[in-house]
Each structure stands twice: as structure tokens, then as C-alpha cells.
Amino acid sequence: MKLKILIVILAIFQFVYVSADIHFVKFRQKMVEKQIKARGVKNKRVLEALLKVERHKFVPKKYKNYSYEDYPLPIGYGQTISQPYIVALMTELIEPSPHDRVLEIGTGSGYQAAILAELCKEVYTVEIIPELANQAEKIFKELGYKNIKVRIGDGFYGWEEYSPFDGIIVTCAPEYIPEPLIKQLKEGGRMVIPVGDYFQELVLVRKVKGKIKKKKIIPVRFVPMKGDIERIKKD
Ligand code: SAH
């Protein structure tokens, strides 16, 4: 009898634990320790945002249990949500601060935008696939983010209306850095962007006294930027 009661209590505990997504808290802690801190990301606010944002809410149901693993995951339409470490690294590189206004190109699942929304004042994000943009907007609403604006369009042109930006994160890879994005970066601003075709480099761009300074960070593999970049050659 006692054993039966114990089993029922354990089952209830497990049900509450899983249904309330409590186990994901542990997964997130492990992800931050083993994948992110261990590889050298130090910015405290960035680490806190990664601990807080529920990555599994941005991942298709069938991959939910893999949300905190050390790799990208498919999000439909041939696109992917980036590996957690890459999200952390790119976020740290733009040095986000609470009064910053930032632009993201390639909303995808919306996860990177949510991380930025925890760290900055306003986030503007552009996505070329309408279904992904709409789905991300729905999640932002559900999670109560009021400082993210989504636009369906070609991120090659940035989002001029709200420019200039303190930071720009590009999460799809163009073969060269689009001129409008350079123009829309504020003096002193930081942009992080994967550049290249099959082999890509993550490049950190800074605008200092009107001039552009570039620094290569690491080789990466992002989905290609689509749209007008495929037709407009660099002059
Ligand atoms: N930041 C995303 C990762 C998205 S993957 C996340 O956190 O999940 C890259 C995204 O860039 C894809 O959704 C793709 O549709 C989008 N994309 C590709 N070319 C684009 C363009 N020219 N403008 C805007 N988005 C683009």
C-alpha cells in the first residue's frame, strides 16, 4: 500500500515537472555552462538572457527535446535556428546595452530577436519568408515582448525608417556586406555578419569616425541570404 502511494506521488511529481517545463531550466543551465561559458562568452547580461529565454518555445514541436543541444535545428522552409553558441557569440560581439536600438536580418524562429529584446531597448527584425515572420510575431505576442517589431521584406535594404542602429545582427549569409546595412549603422555602432558563399567568415564591422573597420572572427555556416543580393553585384 505504502509503495503504491509512493509511486503515485512520484508520478504526480514527474507530471508536474515535465508539463511545467521545469526540466528545461536545467537544460538551459547546462547549455550555458558547457557550450557557451566554456567557449569563452563572458558578458553577464548575455549569459543571463540565454538562461532566461525559453528556446524550446521557438523550435518545432518534434525537436523540442533537442532545443538545448549544441547544434542548429530545422525550423521549416529550409531554414534553421542557429546553434546556441553562435547566438551567444554574435550577441556578445555587438555589445548590447539597455538603451540600444538594434536591427536583425533573418528573423527565422525569432529566438535571436527575443535574446536581443532582453538586452536592448528596441529590436527591429526583417524576414523574407512571410510564414516565418508571422509565426515569430505570434510567439513574441504570446511571450509578452513589446519591444520587437517584425517586418516581412528583403533585409538587404535593412530598415531605413528606424535607422541608424547601435547594433546589427545578420543571421543569413550574403556574399558581400550590403551597402544599406553599412549606411544604417550608427557612428560607433557594431554589426556582426556571416560573409561568403559556401565557406563563410563571421565578420565584426565597426563604424569609427565614419570609417568601417572589419575583423574576422571565426568560420561559420549560415543559410544564404536570398532576394536582391542574388541579382545585385557588388560595385
Ligand atoms: N535568427 C534566426 C535564424 C534564422 S536562419 C533565429 O534565431 O532563428 C536565417 C533566416 O534568414 C531565415 O529565416 C531566412 O528566411 C532569412 N533570410 C534569408 N534571406 C533573407 C533576406 N534577404 N532578408 C531577410 N531574411 C532573410
Side-chain angles (χ1 to χ4, degrees):
M1 189 60 189
K2 267 193 186 154
L3 188 66
K4 263 194 190 158
I5 294 174
L6 192 66
I7 290 171
V8 170
I9 290 174
L10 277 176
I12 292 172
F13 259 125
Q14 181 160 19
F15 177 75
V16 171
Y17 192 67
V18 172
S19 58
D21 286 353
I22 296 170
H23 58 308
F24 286 128
V25 175
K26 279 224 150 64
F27 288 3
R28 274 200 294 287
Q29 286 165 351
K30 201 170 145 200
M31 171 190 88
V32 167
E33 285 301 320
K34 302 244 149 101
Q35 302 170 31
I36 293 164
K37 269 196 194 168
R39 293 193 178 110
V41 173
K42 289 190 185 69
N43 185 310
K44 262 213 172 114
R45 294 181 66 243
V46 173
L47 297 174
E48 269 162 24
L50 284 146
L51 281 175
K52 181 172 173 198
V53 178
E54 296 179 305
R55 186 171 158 96
H56 61 275
K57 301 235 162 114
F58 296 86
V59 162
K61 268 208 175 85
K62 60 178 169 185
Y63 300 121
K64 210 171 149 170
N65 286 327
Y66 304 99
S67 309
Y68 300 97
E69 297 295 329
D70 199 9
Y71 39 74
L73 287 170
I75 52 169
Y77 309 92
Q79 309 304 318
T80 53
I81 174 172
S82 309
Q83 177 191 13
Y85 167 63
I86 294 295
V87 174
L89 176 67
M90 290 173 87
T91 310
E92 180 171 70
L93 284 168
I94 66 155
E95 297 166 25
S97 86
H99 42 260
D100 279 357
R101 298 167 60 257
V102 297
L103 172 70
E104 179 197 25
I105 305 302
T107 315
S109 70
Y111 177 67
Q112 172 76 74
I115 293 284
L116 290 170
E118 294 288 340
L119 298 163
C120 304
K121 188 164 165 229
E122 289 159 25
V123 181
Y124 299 87
T125 180
V126 184
E127 170 58 54
I128 205 164
I129 301 177
E131 290 84 351
L132 286 175
N134 293 334
Q135 198 175 302
E137 205 161 23
K138 209 175 126 212
I139 301 174
F140 298 148
K141 227 186 189 160
E142 277 167 22
L143 298 181
Y145 287 107
K146 295 204 169 65
N147 58 342
I148 309 176
K149 265 196 168 45
V150 184
R151 184 166 79 89
I152 299 168
D154 189 342
F156 177 86
Y157 300 101
W159 198 337
E160 202 181 353
E161 193 187 344
Y162 293 105
S163 67
F165 300 99
D166 300 284
I168 301 180
I169 288 190
V170 183
T171 66
C172 48
E175 280 187 38
Y176 61 90
I177 303 175
E179 196 54 40
L181 298 184
I182 293 177
K183 280 215 179 91
Q184 291 173 26
L185 192 62
K186 202 183 261 182
E187 171 63 35
R190 295 81 51 200
M191 164 159 60
V192 64
I193 177 166
V195 185
D197 184 0
Y198 189 82
F199 296 101
Q200 303 156 8
E201 286 280 351
L202 196 61
V203 179
L204 176 64
V205 180
R206 276 174 187 281
K207 200 180 254 186
V208 185
K209 294 187 186 130
K211 287 213 173 80
I212 288 304
K213 289 192 171 170
K214 292 185 208 164
K215 186 178 168 195
K216 285 183 184 171
I217 308 292
I218 49 164
V220 282
R221 183 96 187 96
F222 277 81
V223 295
M225 181 180 273
K226 292 180 298 189
D228 281 357
I229 188 115
E230 297 168 293
R231 293 174 281 280
I232 303 171
K233 288 284 153 239
K234 188 175 163 58
D235 42 45

